[in-house]
Amino acid sequence: MSTLRYRDAVRAAMIEEMERDERVFLVGEEVGHYQGAYKVSEGMLERFGPKRVIDAPITESGFTGISIGAAMVGLRPIVEYMTWNFSAVAFDQILNNAAKIRQMSGGQFSVPIVLRAPNASARQVGSQHSHAMEHFYAQVPGLKVLAPATPADAKGMLKSAIRDEDPVLFMESETLYNVKGEVPDDPELLVPMGVANVAREGKDVTIIAWSRLTHVSLEAAAALEKEGISAEVIDLRSIRPLDEEAIVKSVRKTHRAVVAYEGWPFGGVGAEISDRIQRLAFDDLDAPVLRVSTLDYPMPYNAKLEQHVIPSVPRILEAVNQVLYRS
Amino acid sequence: MTTLDTSDELHLKLYRQMFLIRRFEEEAARAYAQGKIGGFLHLYIGQEAIAVGAHAAMRQDDYMLTTYRDHGLALARGMAPRAAMAELFGKVTGCSKGLGGSMHFFDREHNMLGGYGIVGGHIPIGVGTAFASKYRGEDRVSMVFFGEGAVSIGDFHEGMSLASLWRLPVVFVCENNEYAMGTPISRTLSVADVSQKALGYGMARERFAAESVIHVRDRLRAIVDRVRETSEPTLVEIQTYRFRGHSMSDPGKYRTKEELEERKRKDVVLRARVELEEKGQSEALERIEKEVEDEVTDAIRFAEESPEPGPEILAPTTYTGAFAR
């Protein structure tokens, strides 16, 4: 075990996989000479050289498409976007090529590619730089979407993603990059996709979260404990594939569920989870499933307003109280 | 420079490929009118010399990919007419198991890396295959086709820019058939010479008309040899004309009957035939045409008799491993 920050865990996964497999390379804006916009790829250019750590100009659609083409004929690209927001200009490549080539070719070609970047809010970066993009991508069959909350999961899941035969979208967070945690050193220790983690056990209510909101939900659970309420926190880690069983198992125990995440309330992953709970655990529910999402506005710059619209401990507590009929 | 084969034998072989594409598509159009083929059907009729000449200029291990007007390139690459026709009929014996349809012909065995339905979206994909060749130290060349209607969209420019910056062995072939669906080039581009788009990227460029299949082969071979040798990309504009509408639903009212008739007089397939006839190859031509007729008839019959794909095909063609839900 080593104590690593989240960013170092992501880097460790890339380095180990690039040392293991010559076909793996990293491409993106500022990943090489600049050492990464968020220093995730620091030192990698020196280690692997410009053939495998490739600085791209500002051409998200271009280098995403090139990586898809390279993946079709046998390479295993890791594409870094400076943030997931910028993937919007590569959306056609991801939606129409990465996700569809296997099907359109009748299974002749697959696209083993990893697209990774920080996602969602990042403290006052405004409406164009704060999108929670997992909601757009998780809808698409052909794609996989991961959003780990801890350094150990970041490393173990990124390694799984790089070894996967299908396109995997890997959601990090600027607000998590400095989070420290214990990370296994074993380069063959992978964290599988589609398996949620019970981040905290409880019996009165289930809070389902992923990425940064796992940490916010754990804070809320600690506050609830002081009031004598035992909250279970499920860290999904993987959005597609979704660990439906873990969610249902927890709700069968607690009979109440709150889904906490960044992203707007209209549709999205939270609505998907609510749907599955009501379909699969209807008889076990003692209250409607509630969602604590980003409020239904573009992200405001003002610090207080930003805190107002993104999900917070008080808003999670409010939702928990509602499903417990305590308010 | 390699010495180019200019024998009648080769010319007959190329004529056969062009005639196969022509007859395949004429029969596909008939089947479409009979309701046996659904969705979109974009015919290549009139442009055959380009796919066939280009294939003759490339190696079979080179990568080629194109737009949704893809039957011609697929057949030129060597896709079996049965697999092509069955795909149009939506049958499981089709090249893409009936999941792709007319616009998505893929054939891994023959390095036909697809037909793509979003204008320009496949251009970076083509560049990516060249990236992979260079990354592995192979000497394959990639060739990506698109129409003049694609040169306004961003992916064309990003693909060109990165190919030039990273010195990738890719030939960009613009099949300028003068019309982006119903809009003439004079209303889509500020310049008449598409190849000028290479200048801003410091890329080599070429421009010629698809006068004959041998001419296309000769010009492209010289370019492909240079690209293979130097690993520098090239933009090639080839002037051509499609005789049919953009797709089956397009009556082509945006051009005059006189214009169309004038172009049909320059039909590359007909011209190849006349030239070969003049060289005393009438017998060979008749034999070839008979073979092709039989092949197309067989392809139609095969497509009609083939089974449709069942729902069990959907999950394993969406993900390689377990379905991610």
Side-chain angles (χ1 to χ4, degrees):
Chain A
M1 285 283 185
S2 303
T3 305
L4 295 184
R5 290 181 197 277
Y6 192 110
R7 70 155 55 75
D8 305 321
V10 172
R11 183 189 313 118
M14 292 195 286
I15 288 174
E16 286 176 13
E17 293 307 301
M18 285 175 69
E19 281 179 345
R20 178 180 172 269
D21 187 345
E22 277 286 320
R23 300 169 301 171
V24 182
F25 67 89
L26 173 68
V27 62
E29 291 152 13
E30 311 289 4
V31 297
H33 290 275
Y34 191 85
Q35 309 294 328
Y38 295 99
K39 302 289 173 268
V40 174
S41 58
E42 193 168 34
M44 287 179 66
L45 174 66
E46 289 67 28
R47 191 169 188 135
F48 294 103
K51 182 189 162 189
R52 298 182 71 197
V53 178
I54 303 159
D55 280 320
I58 302 163
T59 49
E60 281 85 2
S61 191
F63 64 75
T64 303
I66 286 174
S67 298
I68 293 167
M72 278 176 81
V73 296
L75 299 187
R76 307 191 73 98
I78 305 170
V79 175
E80 177 178 308
Y81 300 118
M82 204 174 287
T83 83
W84 270 106
N85 299 284
F86 307 154
S87 78
V89 294
F91 191 69
D92 175 62
Q93 286 298 338
I94 301 169
L95 174 73
N96 278 310
N97 290 330
K100 303 289 162 54
I101 280 170
R102 181 166 172 81
Q103 194 258 15
M104 295 193 300
S105 68
Q108 291 180 80
F109 291 92
S110 51
V111 182
I113 189 173
V114 173
L115 311 174
R116 46 158 292 268
N119 183 49
S121 71
R123 296 189 199 98
Q124 284 195 276
V125 292
S127 66
Q128 295 184 327
H129 286 69
S130 300
H131 292 109
M133 295 298 286
E134 66 272 41
H135 304 283
F136 295 90
Y137 293 115
Q139 225 243 335
V140 183
L143 302 180
K144 295 177 180 177
V145 181
L146 310 180
T150 66
D153 286 346
K155 184 184 175 200
M157 297 186 82
L158 183 54
K159 288 167 71 73
S160 289
I162 294 167
R163 296 188 194 185
D164 201 76
E165 297 300 324
D166 293 311
V168 182
L169 283 61
F170 195 82
M171 312 266 168
E172 301 158 19
S173 165
E174 285 168 61
T175 57
L176 291 179
Y177 278 145
N178 282 331
V179 168
K180 282 184 188 168
E182 290 291 295
V183 179
D185 298 317
D186 181 357
E188 286 307 310
L189 208 87
L190 275 61
V191 178
M193 304 182 210
V195 182
N197 179 42
V198 180
R200 178 190 174 111
E201 289 199 30
K203 58 181 176 47
D204 297 330
V205 60
T206 301
I207 305 171
I208 299 148
W210 58 90
S211 191
R212 185 177 72 83
L213 263 289
T214 299
H215 301 280
V216 179
S217 300
L218 286 169
E219 272 182 60
L224 287 163
E225 191 180 21
K226 289 182 189 147
E227 298 176 31
I229 295 161
S230 162
E232 179 146 300
V233 177
I234 303 279
D235 172 13
L236 284 181
R237 308 195 284 192
S238 171
I239 290 165
R240 187 182 185 112
L242 185 66
D243 191 350
E244 197 173 80
E245 264 176 54
I247 297 168
V248 171
K249 191 179 161 198
S250 178
V251 172
R252 289 220 165 108
K253 180 169 69 172
T254 64
H255 310 292
R256 298 159 205 274
V258 169
V259 193
Y261 59 96
E262 288 200 54
W264 294 305
F266 195 113
V269 178
E272 173 67 24
I273 292 165
S274 299
D275 171 65
R276 296 205 196 196
I277 295 171
Q278 67 82 20
R279 268 194 292 122
L280 302 167
F282 185 75
D283 288 340
D284 293 286
L285 281 174
D286 285 345
V289 178
L290 291 188
R291 294 188 280 140
V292 180
S293 69
T294 306
L295 298 184
D296 205 8
Y297 307 107
M299 188 66 77
Y301 160 72
N302 176 274
K304 285 178 187 152
L305 284 179
E306 181 182 46
Q307 287 308 312
H308 173 71
V309 306
I310 61 178
S312 56
V313 171
R315 280 184 49 216
I316 294 172
L317 296 179
E318 192 188 323
V320 167
N321 284 331
Q322 264 183 273
V323 300
L324 286 163
Y325 301 109
R326 292 174 80 235
S327 48
Chain B
M1 266 297 282
T2 44
T3 318
L4 290 175
D5 182 358
T6 52
S7 65
D8 281 6
E9 197 186 350
L10 175 83
H11 202 177
L12 282 165
K13 185 177 141 196
L14 301 183
Y15 172 76
R16 190 189 197 287
Q17 290 174 357
M18 291 197 295
F19 187 70
L20 172 65
I21 296 168
R22 177 70 56 95
R23 289 295 299 122
F24 177 93
E25 289 203 319
E26 284 170 350
E27 291 308 311
R30 190 193 306 270
Y32 189 89
Q34 293 168 345
K36 292 176 181 170
I37 297 171
F40 297 125
L41 188 71
H42 306 88
L43 300 179
Y44 196 60
I45 291 174
Q47 302 181 208
E48 294 92 337
I50 298 176
V52 172
H55 170 72
M58 295 281 273
R59 295 194 322 221
Q60 195 71 57
D61 68 339
D62 289 332
Y63 299 123
M64 295 178 88
L65 60 167
T66 187
T67 67
Y68 43 82
R69 200 178 301 286
D70 59 355
H71 315 147
L73 183 64
L75 291 169
R77 279 311 257 168
M79 181 184 286
R82 279 184 163 198
M85 194 65 84
E87 188 60 32
L88 297 182
F89 278 59
K91 299 301 180 71
V92 74
T93 50
C95 59
S96 300
K97 298 192 166 74
L99 302 174
S102 164
M103 298 187 285
H104 307 305
F105 277 20
F106 286 77
D107 186 350
R108 178 184 268 283
E109 185 194 340
H110 293 100
N111 281 315
M112 163 67 186
L113 269 62
Y116 295 81
I118 307 296
V119 171
H122 66 301
I123 294 173
I125 306 282
V127 178
T129 62
F131 175 94
S133 301
K134 184 167 180 174
Y135 186 93
R136 288 193 284 244
E138 298 167 349
D139 72 341
R140 296 182 206 237
V141 170
S142 297
M143 187 177 281
V144 57
F145 295 86
F146 47 89
E148 87 291 342
V151 305
S152 296
I153 203 160
D155 270 349
F156 166 76
H157 295 275
E158 295 193 17
M160 291 273 291
S161 183
L162 288 166
S164 227
L165 179 69
W166 292 340
R167 303 186 56 186
L168 301 176
V170 53
V171 184
F172 298 88
V173 178
C174 175
E175 294 183 79
N176 178 359
N177 65 17
E178 300 183 26
Y179 293 89
M181 199 163 149
T183 308
I185 187 168
S186 59
R187 290 202 286 120
T188 63
L189 278 183
S190 55
V191 293
D193 179 348
V194 176
S195 74
Q196 283 186 21
K197 299 289 174 187
L199 296 173
Y201 302 109
M203 190 185 292
R205 62 183 179 130
E206 304 268 351
R207 185 177 197 233
F208 60 89
E211 286 162 18
S212 76
V213 67
I214 295 287
H215 178 66
V216 171
R217 192 277 312 255
D218 290 353
R219 293 293 300 263
L220 284 179
R221 176 63 70 79
I223 293 162
V224 168
D225 283 351
R226 190 180 65 219
V227 169
R228 203 184 301 282
E229 179 71 28
T230 62
S231 189
E232 297 273 6
T234 298
L235 171 64
V236 188
E237 175 190 358
I238 307 182
Q239 292 146 320
T240 183
Y241 201 80
R242 67 171 148 75
F243 296 165
R244 301 297 185 97
H246 167 73
S247 67
M248 291 299 288
S249 61
D250 168 24
K253 286 181 178 166
Y254 41 83
R255 49 192 192 186
T256 63
K257 205 175 161 211
E258 292 70 33
E259 176 182 314
L260 187 58
E261 288 313 312
E262 165 72 22
R263 294 310 184 104
K264 281 186 176 174
R265 274 198 289 278
K266 297 179 185 165
D267 180 4
V268 283
V269 180
L270 191 64
R271 282 168 64 164
R273 194 184 199 290
V274 170
E275 200 178 315
L276 284 159
E277 244 179 351
E278 282 167 358
K279 288 177 170 174
Q281 295 290 353
S282 298
E283 218 170 285
L285 286 165
E286 275 164 35
R287 179 177 44 76
I288 282 170
E289 286 166 0
K290 170 77 173 61
E291 281 171 14
V292 166
E293 290 300 340
D294 291 348
E295 220 173 319
V296 173
T297 305
D298 169 73
I300 292 272
R301 189 191 48 75
F302 175 80
E304 278 176 339
E305 290 173 359
S306 285
E308 296 191 35
E312 72 285 351
I313 202 170
L314 296 172
T317 49
T318 302
Y319 291 100
T320 311
F323 198 86
R325 201 182 297 277

